[in-house]
Short mmCIF file of all heavy atoms in Angstrom, two decimals:
data_model
loop_
_atom_site.label_atom_id
_atom_site.label_comp_id
_atom_site.label_asym_id
_atom_site.label_seq_id
_atom_site.Cartn_x
_atom_site.Cartn_y
_atom_site.Cartn_z
N ILE A 388 3.27 -6.93 23.71
CA ILE A 388 1.93 -6.99 23.18
C ILE A 388 2.05 -6.80 21.62
O ILE A 388 2.43 -5.71 21.15
CB ILE A 388 0.95 -6.00 23.75
CG1 ILE A 388 0.87 -6.21 25.20
CG2 ILE A 388 -0.41 -6.06 23.04
CD1 ILE A 388 0.17 -5.08 25.92
N ALA A 389 1.71 -7.79 20.83
CA ALA A 389 1.83 -7.70 19.35
C ALA A 389 0.44 -7.95 18.72
O ALA A 389 -0.30 -8.84 19.16
CB ALA A 389 2.83 -8.68 18.76
N LEU A 390 0.07 -7.13 17.80
CA LEU A 390 -1.26 -7.30 17.12
C LEU A 390 -1.04 -8.16 15.82
O LEU A 390 -0.80 -7.62 14.77
CB LEU A 390 -1.81 -5.95 16.72
CG LEU A 390 -2.02 -4.97 17.91
CD1 LEU A 390 -2.49 -3.62 17.36
CD2 LEU A 390 -3.03 -5.56 18.86
N HIS A 391 -1.03 -9.41 16.04
CA HIS A 391 -0.87 -10.41 14.91
C HIS A 391 0.51 -10.22 14.20
O HIS A 391 0.60 -10.71 13.07
CB HIS A 391 -1.98 -10.35 13.92
CG HIS A 391 -3.35 -10.69 14.52
ND1 HIS A 391 -3.69 -11.97 14.84
CD2 HIS A 391 -4.36 -9.93 14.85
CE1 HIS A 391 -4.87 -12.00 15.34
NE2 HIS A 391 -5.33 -10.73 15.34
N GLY A 392 1.41 -9.61 14.80
CA GLY A 392 2.79 -9.53 14.39
C GLY A 392 3.00 -9.38 12.94
O GLY A 392 2.66 -8.43 12.32
N GLN A 393 3.61 -10.39 12.28
CA GLN A 393 4.05 -10.36 10.91
C GLN A 393 2.84 -10.17 9.94
O GLN A 393 2.90 -9.46 8.98
CB GLN A 393 4.83 -11.56 10.54
CG GLN A 393 5.45 -11.50 9.13
CD GLN A 393 6.35 -12.69 8.82
OE1 GLN A 393 6.33 -13.66 9.58
NE2 GLN A 393 7.06 -12.63 7.72
N GLN A 394 1.74 -10.88 10.21
CA GLN A 394 0.55 -10.82 9.43
C GLN A 394 -0.01 -9.37 9.33
O GLN A 394 -0.36 -8.84 8.26
CB GLN A 394 -0.54 -11.73 9.92
CG GLN A 394 -1.80 -11.65 9.11
CD GLN A 394 -2.90 -12.47 9.82
OE1 GLN A 394 -2.71 -13.00 10.87
NE2 GLN A 394 -4.10 -12.54 9.18
N PHE A 395 0.06 -8.71 10.52
CA PHE A 395 -0.39 -7.31 10.62
C PHE A 395 0.41 -6.36 9.70
O PHE A 395 -0.08 -5.59 8.94
CB PHE A 395 -0.33 -6.91 12.05
CG PHE A 395 -0.83 -5.47 12.28
CD1 PHE A 395 -2.18 -5.15 12.18
CD2 PHE A 395 0.10 -4.46 12.59
CE1 PHE A 395 -2.59 -3.90 12.47
CE2 PHE A 395 -0.34 -3.21 12.85
CZ PHE A 395 -1.67 -2.91 12.76
N PHE A 396 1.80 -6.51 9.85
CA PHE A 396 2.61 -5.64 9.03
C PHE A 396 2.61 -5.97 7.52
O PHE A 396 2.79 -5.06 6.73
CB PHE A 396 4.08 -5.69 9.60
CG PHE A 396 4.15 -4.88 10.86
CD1 PHE A 396 4.31 -5.54 12.12
CD2 PHE A 396 4.15 -3.54 10.90
CE1 PHE A 396 4.37 -4.79 13.27
CE2 PHE A 396 4.20 -2.82 12.08
CZ PHE A 396 4.37 -3.48 13.28
N MET A 397 2.35 -7.27 7.21
CA MET A 397 2.25 -7.57 5.79
C MET A 397 0.97 -6.95 5.18
O MET A 397 1.00 -6.50 4.07
CB MET A 397 2.20 -9.12 5.63
CG MET A 397 3.50 -9.75 5.64
SD MET A 397 4.66 -9.13 4.35
CE MET A 397 3.80 -9.62 2.85
N SER A 398 -0.06 -6.93 6.02
CA SER A 398 -1.33 -6.30 5.49
C SER A 398 -1.12 -4.83 5.31
O SER A 398 -1.52 -4.25 4.27
CB SER A 398 -2.40 -6.55 6.56
OG SER A 398 -3.60 -5.91 6.19
N ILE A 399 -0.43 -4.17 6.24
CA ILE A 399 -0.12 -2.72 6.08
C ILE A 399 0.75 -2.47 4.85
O ILE A 399 0.54 -1.54 4.06
CB ILE A 399 0.56 -2.14 7.36
CG1 ILE A 399 -0.43 -2.11 8.47
CG2 ILE A 399 1.17 -0.77 7.04
CD1 ILE A 399 0.14 -1.74 9.79
N ALA A 400 1.80 -3.34 4.62
CA ALA A 400 2.64 -3.22 3.43
C ALA A 400 1.85 -3.32 2.18
O ALA A 400 2.14 -2.59 1.19
CB ALA A 400 3.77 -4.29 3.52
N LYS A 401 0.90 -4.24 2.15
CA LYS A 401 0.03 -4.45 0.90
C LYS A 401 -0.81 -3.20 0.67
O LYS A 401 -0.90 -2.76 -0.49
CB LYS A 401 -0.83 -5.72 1.03
CG LYS A 401 -0.04 -6.93 0.98
CD LYS A 401 -0.92 -8.11 1.12
CE LYS A 401 -0.24 -9.45 1.06
NZ LYS A 401 -1.05 -10.61 1.19
N PHE A 402 -1.36 -2.61 1.71
CA PHE A 402 -2.16 -1.38 1.53
C PHE A 402 -1.27 -0.19 1.07
O PHE A 402 -1.65 0.57 0.23
CB PHE A 402 -2.85 -1.03 2.84
CG PHE A 402 -4.02 -1.93 3.05
CD1 PHE A 402 -4.06 -2.69 4.21
CD2 PHE A 402 -5.09 -1.96 2.24
CE1 PHE A 402 -5.07 -3.54 4.48
CE2 PHE A 402 -6.15 -2.83 2.51
CZ PHE A 402 -6.16 -3.59 3.59
N ILE A 403 -0.07 -0.06 1.66
CA ILE A 403 0.85 0.97 1.20
C ILE A 403 1.22 0.80 -0.30
O ILE A 403 1.26 1.73 -1.07
CB ILE A 403 2.09 1.05 2.09
CG1 ILE A 403 1.68 1.56 3.48
CG2 ILE A 403 3.20 1.92 1.45
CD1 ILE A 403 2.75 1.48 4.50
N PHE A 404 1.54 -0.45 -0.65
CA PHE A 404 1.89 -0.73 -2.04
C PHE A 404 0.73 -0.43 -2.94
O PHE A 404 0.89 0.22 -4.04
CB PHE A 404 2.26 -2.16 -2.21
CG PHE A 404 2.60 -2.61 -3.63
CD1 PHE A 404 3.90 -2.28 -4.15
CD2 PHE A 404 1.73 -3.27 -4.40
CE1 PHE A 404 4.20 -2.58 -5.47
CE2 PHE A 404 2.04 -3.57 -5.74
CZ PHE A 404 3.28 -3.23 -6.22
N SER A 405 -0.52 -0.80 -2.63
CA SER A 405 -1.64 -0.53 -3.44
C SER A 405 -1.92 0.98 -3.57
O SER A 405 -2.19 1.50 -4.68
CB SER A 405 -2.91 -1.12 -2.85
OG SER A 405 -2.84 -2.56 -2.94
N ALA A 406 -1.76 1.70 -2.46
CA ALA A 406 -1.93 3.14 -2.52
C ALA A 406 -0.89 3.81 -3.36
O ALA A 406 -1.14 4.76 -4.13
CB ALA A 406 -1.93 3.71 -1.13
N ALA A 407 0.38 3.41 -3.25
CA ALA A 407 1.47 3.96 -4.06
C ALA A 407 1.22 3.65 -5.55
O ALA A 407 1.48 4.53 -6.37
CB ALA A 407 2.82 3.39 -3.57
N THR A 408 0.82 2.46 -5.85
CA THR A 408 0.52 2.06 -7.26
C THR A 408 -0.54 2.97 -7.79
O THR A 408 -0.46 3.45 -8.94
CB THR A 408 0.12 0.61 -7.32
OG1 THR A 408 1.19 -0.23 -6.75
CG2 THR A 408 -0.17 0.16 -8.76
N MET A 409 -1.61 3.11 -7.00
CA MET A 409 -2.77 3.96 -7.46
C MET A 409 -2.30 5.38 -7.67
O MET A 409 -2.60 5.99 -8.71
CB MET A 409 -3.85 3.95 -6.37
CG MET A 409 -5.02 4.84 -6.69
SD MET A 409 -6.26 4.97 -5.37
CE MET A 409 -5.29 5.91 -4.19
N ALA A 410 -1.54 5.95 -6.76
CA ALA A 410 -1.06 7.35 -6.93
C ALA A 410 -0.15 7.49 -8.17
O ALA A 410 -0.35 8.43 -8.95
CB ALA A 410 -0.19 7.77 -5.69
N PHE A 411 0.73 6.56 -8.40
CA PHE A 411 1.56 6.65 -9.59
C PHE A 411 0.81 6.50 -10.83
O PHE A 411 1.00 7.31 -11.77
CB PHE A 411 2.61 5.50 -9.50
CG PHE A 411 3.53 5.46 -10.65
CD1 PHE A 411 4.52 6.46 -10.84
CD2 PHE A 411 3.50 4.45 -11.58
CE1 PHE A 411 5.32 6.44 -11.95
CE2 PHE A 411 4.34 4.44 -12.69
CZ PHE A 411 5.31 5.44 -12.85
N MET A 412 -0.13 5.61 -10.89
CA MET A 412 -0.98 5.46 -12.12
C MET A 412 -1.84 6.60 -12.35
O MET A 412 -2.01 7.03 -13.49
CB MET A 412 -1.82 4.15 -12.00
CG MET A 412 -1.03 2.88 -11.91
SD MET A 412 -0.04 2.59 -13.42
CE MET A 412 -1.28 2.26 -14.59
N LEU A 413 -2.43 7.21 -11.31
CA LEU A 413 -3.19 8.44 -11.50
C LEU A 413 -2.41 9.58 -11.94
O LEU A 413 -2.86 10.42 -12.75
CB LEU A 413 -3.96 8.79 -10.16
CG LEU A 413 -5.10 7.88 -9.80
CD1 LEU A 413 -5.65 8.28 -8.47
CD2 LEU A 413 -6.14 7.82 -10.83
N TYR A 414 -1.15 9.70 -11.47
CA TYR A 414 -0.25 10.71 -11.94
C TYR A 414 0.01 10.54 -13.44
O TYR A 414 -0.04 11.50 -14.19
CB TYR A 414 1.05 10.71 -11.21
CG TYR A 414 2.09 11.66 -11.74
CD1 TYR A 414 2.01 13.00 -11.42
CD2 TYR A 414 3.13 11.20 -12.55
CE1 TYR A 414 2.96 13.88 -11.95
CE2 TYR A 414 4.07 12.03 -13.02
CZ TYR A 414 3.95 13.44 -12.73
OH TYR A 414 4.92 14.28 -13.23
N LEU A 415 0.24 9.22 -13.90
CA LEU A 415 0.49 9.04 -15.25
C LEU A 415 -0.77 9.32 -16.17
O LEU A 415 -0.61 9.93 -17.21
CB LEU A 415 0.89 7.62 -15.53
CG LEU A 415 2.26 7.14 -15.01
CD1 LEU A 415 2.48 5.68 -15.24
CD2 LEU A 415 3.42 8.01 -15.62
N ILE A 416 -1.91 9.00 -15.65
CA ILE A 416 -3.17 9.21 -16.39
C ILE A 416 -3.35 10.76 -16.48
O ILE A 416 -3.68 11.27 -17.59
CB ILE A 416 -4.39 8.63 -15.64
CG1 ILE A 416 -4.32 7.13 -15.81
CG2 ILE A 416 -5.72 9.18 -16.24
CD1 ILE A 416 -5.33 6.38 -14.91
N GLN A 417 -3.15 11.48 -15.42
CA GLN A 417 -3.30 12.95 -15.44
C GLN A 417 -2.37 13.71 -16.41
O GLN A 417 -2.67 14.72 -16.89
CB GLN A 417 -3.15 13.48 -14.04
CG GLN A 417 -3.56 14.95 -13.88
CD GLN A 417 -3.46 15.42 -12.47
OE1 GLN A 417 -2.92 14.74 -11.62
NE2 GLN A 417 -3.95 16.64 -12.22
N GLN A 418 -1.22 13.06 -16.63
CA GLN A 418 -0.19 13.68 -17.47
C GLN A 418 -0.45 13.45 -18.97
O GLN A 418 0.21 14.04 -19.84
CB GLN A 418 1.24 13.20 -17.16
CG GLN A 418 1.65 13.52 -15.78
CD GLN A 418 1.62 15.03 -15.49
OE1 GLN A 418 2.11 15.81 -16.29
NE2 GLN A 418 0.96 15.43 -14.42
#
C-alpha cells in the first residue's frame, strides 16, 4: 500500500527543505 509513492515523498522533501531554509535564515537574521 503506497500513498502516491514518489510524489508523496517529493512533497515531504520540499516541505523539509523549506523548513530548513526558514530555520537557517531566521538564525542568520537573529544573529
